[in-house]
Amino acid sequence: MFKNMIVYRIAEGWQSDLQVLEEALSKTPFAECGATQERSAGWVPPRGEQHGPLAESVAGQWVLRFMTEAKMLPASVLNRKVNEKAEHIEKTEGRKPGKKEKKELKDEAKLDLLPMAFTKQGSMWVWIDPQARTLVLDTGSQARADEVVSLLVEGLPGFALALVDTQTSPQAAMAHWLMTQEPPAGFSVDRECELKAADESKAVVRYARHPLDIDEVRQHIEHGKLPTKLAMTWDDRVSFVLTEGLQIKKIALLDAVMDGQSRDDGGFDTDVAIATGELSRLIPDLIEALGGEGRTGLGAGLPAALQDRAQASETLPVRLAQAGKGTGRVALTGPAAAPVDTAPEEAPF
């Protein structure tokens, strides 16, 4: 059900109420794009039933679904239409349109073409755990997550959020696990990894379906290439890829999760119960593996020990070597701010 996760912590002051949430979502329901509308977004019933509730509760877990629709208008088609309009003016009036007029022609051409454009829809699962006070978004794009967060914060009184922040940065932790080949308890390192240089070269090394317990990986890290992605497995039940921005991607439930489940057990409630049941245990275990949460309160400033990426990259190999001799804890914090959206053009959600 969930393929990606961006995790937020909900403020203590928010009073969870499913009916209030339903009323807030009903103010921004999804509607398909109008004839000259480029994009539409809003909430749809999670079960897919017409006129069904926009917020579903399954075993105490609240599930929502956010839908978007966008008109596909290739730049080449739009430019051709603009050129046709400009040529018509030149032939009929004996002059070339100026810069301002060309902009107006572009807007006019867009309105002409939008009613004939194809549409592309995308949806995102949204999960609220009222007891754990977490919001989980099924996306790997921070820009798309921001859109959903903005809607929820604007529509729900007292609904304040912060990205989950940890005492040890994911990048420092991943580097330590690769250097020492000692993953945290309950986790194992799989066979996929991306290392990126922090200097001007921006060199990238990727491993896919390849053992990572080799000297070559350690040498890359010692020379300043730091992990940006690392494939892992939790408790032999869930595999995923952890990113430097504490995003969790490529989530897959393994056979151990489905053992004892009948093929006839499928359905919305079962899917939600299984997915949230597993992931609600994975999230705190991963946070603990990264040293626990570092945020002392929503809206608090950055911790004094926070260092930027460049500073961390200069000293990390030395500290990793020292950490391997001792407890294995690397003192970095993050992410205290939203990670950069590295793939804004990927398919919706």
Side-chain angles (χ1 to χ4, degrees):
M1 187 174 191
F2 286 84
K3 299 301 181 185
N4 305 282
M5 289 196 297
I6 296 180
V7 186
Y8 294 82
R9 183 65 68 191
I10 303 173
E12 293 287 344
W14 180 59
Q15 300 298 318
S16 57
D17 187 312
L18 190 62
Q19 185 58 41
V20 172
L21 176 60
E22 178 72 27
E23 291 173 0
L25 300 182
S26 66
K27 296 176 182 178
T28 52
F30 171 76
E32 293 183 355
C33 291
T36 58
Q37 187 178 1
E38 286 190 71
R39 188 176 184 275
S40 177
W43 303 100
V44 296
R47 292 183 185 273
E49 299 171 352
Q50 193 172 10
H51 308 302
L54 299 175
E56 292 281 357
S57 178
V58 178
Q61 306 296 328
W62 299 356
V63 178
L64 328 172
R65 196 172 189 187
F66 183 72
M67 178 77 74
T68 63
E69 183 177 81
K71 293 285 185 71
M72 308 304 293
L73 193 56
S76 59
V77 175
L78 180 60
N79 290 336
R80 186 164 65 245
K81 187 71 171 178
V82 172
N83 290 336
E84 289 174 2
K85 288 179 175 289
E87 289 173 4
H88 177 73
I89 291 175
E90 190 172 353
K91 289 179 180 178
T92 57
E93 300 182 20
R95 62 179 182 84
K96 290 186 177 182
K99 186 176 181 180
K100 182 179 179 181
E101 190 174 4
K102 271 214 166 185
K103 185 178 183 302
E104 294 173 351
L105 290 177
K106 186 174 183 179
D107 293 338
E108 184 181 311
K110 185 177 290 186
L111 289 175
D112 292 343
L113 293 170
L114 280 174
M116 300 179 286
F118 290 105
T119 59
K120 186 175 183 179
Q121 290 188 345
S123 65
M124 180 198 304
W125 291 108
V126 178
W127 163 31
I128 296 176
D129 186 335
Q131 296 300 317
R133 306 195 76 82
T134 54
L135 168 73
V136 179
L137 304 183
D138 181 15
T139 179
S141 165
Q142 190 62 49
R144 296 181 183 115
D146 290 345
E147 180 180 16
V148 172
V149 167
S150 296
L151 274 179
L152 291 173
V153 171
E154 290 169 5
L156 292 169
F159 193 76
L161 298 168
L163 282 163
V164 165
D165 173 32
T166 55
Q167 291 287 345
T168 303
S169 74
Q171 189 168 68
M174 290 188 291
H176 174 67
W177 299 334
L178 289 171
M179 286 285 288
T180 63
Q181 285 302 307
E182 295 179 2
F187 292 84
S188 60
V189 172
D190 293 340
R191 295 161 59 89
E192 180 181 339
C193 176
E194 179 181 274
L195 306 171
K196 186 177 294 185
D199 57 22
E200 295 179 356
S201 71
K202 303 297 182 184
V204 178
V205 177
R206 294 186 179 90
Y207 293 91
R209 298 182 293 277
H210 194 288
L212 301 178
D213 56 345
I214 55 176
D215 289 339
E216 182 181 289
V217 172
R218 288 188 283 270
Q219 289 169 3
H220 280 306
I221 296 173
E222 289 171 352
H223 294 155
K225 292 185 180 70
L226 305 180
T228 55
K229 297 177 184 177
L230 180 63
M232 305 184 73
T233 293
W234 169 76
D235 199 29
D236 293 327
R237 300 177 70 82
V238 182
S239 65
F240 61 94
V241 172
L242 177 64
T243 76
E244 60 180 333
L246 197 49
Q247 295 180 358
I248 303 168
K249 300 186 175 184
K250 296 185 179 180
I251 297 170
L253 303 182
L254 304 182
D255 291 342
V257 176
M258 307 312 295
D259 286 349
Q261 297 289 337
S262 169
R263 291 188 177 183
D264 298 329
D265 290 343
F268 178 82
D269 291 81
T270 301
D271 291 345
V272 170
I274 292 175
T276 58
E278 296 298 324
L279 299 179
S280 63
R281 293 189 294 137
L282 163 62
I283 292 170
D285 282 2
L286 182 58
I287 291 173
E288 182 63 25
L290 296 171
E293 288 193 65
R295 193 177 300 277
T296 56
L298 263 69
L302 297 180
L306 184 64
Q307 301 178 33
D308 62 27
R309 181 187 176 101
Q311 292 172 327
S313 66
E314 290 174 2
T315 60
L316 186 58
V318 174
R319 284 181 288 156
L320 286 171
Q322 294 172 344
K325 300 176 183 178
T327 62
R329 179 63 55 81
V330 182
L332 287 179
T333 58
V340 176
D341 185 3
T342 56
E345 302 302 323
E346 286 186 358
F349 313 119

